[in-house]
Amino acid sequence: MPTTNWRERVAIETRRQRELRDEVVASARRRAEAFAEGVQELDSKSAVARETGIDVRIVRRAINEYGTATAPPTGSTTEDK
């Protein structure tokens, strides 16, 4: 028999879920940073995708959604003019 009532258990599990979501987001950011580093090394998202055996859309989405908020290099085609 549980030592806490259902309200306490719900509160505990809600906290756990929040903590897990925070961990997943942190992991996604680290993964996007690793992908971005791979792009720097291999010169393209396609090369990173081939190297890791995943679809290039996954690499693009990860970098776009969770990548660092640094400015693009001077002369980059993504740089605002």
Side-chain angles (χ1 to χ4, degrees):
M1 180 174 275
T3 59
T4 59
N5 68 43
W6 68 269
R7 288 178 182 90
E8 292 169 337
R9 292 194 318 272
V10 167
I12 289 167
E13 295 308 323
T14 299
R15 276 193 303 275
R16 285 181 182 161
Q17 287 180 350
R18 192 175 315 120
E19 291 167 359
L20 289 171
R21 275 192 301 269
D22 292 345
E23 285 187 43
V24 167
V25 169
S27 174
R29 284 189 179 118
R30 290 189 302 269
R31 183 175 184 237
E33 288 173 10
F35 281 148
E37 189 176 313
V39 171
Q40 291 279 324
E41 180 182 317
L42 301 176
D43 295 324
S44 75
K45 293 175 182 138
S46 296
V48 170
R50 279 191 301 275
E51 180 82 19
T52 56
I54 60 175
D55 192 286
V56 69
R57 290 175 291 188
I58 295 169
V59 175
R60 269 193 236 120
R61 185 177 304 131
I63 291 172
N64 289 341
E65 290 182 15
Y66 296 102
T68 59
T70 57
T74 304
S76 169
T77 57
T78 60
E79 184 177 2
D80 291 336
K81 305 255 183 211

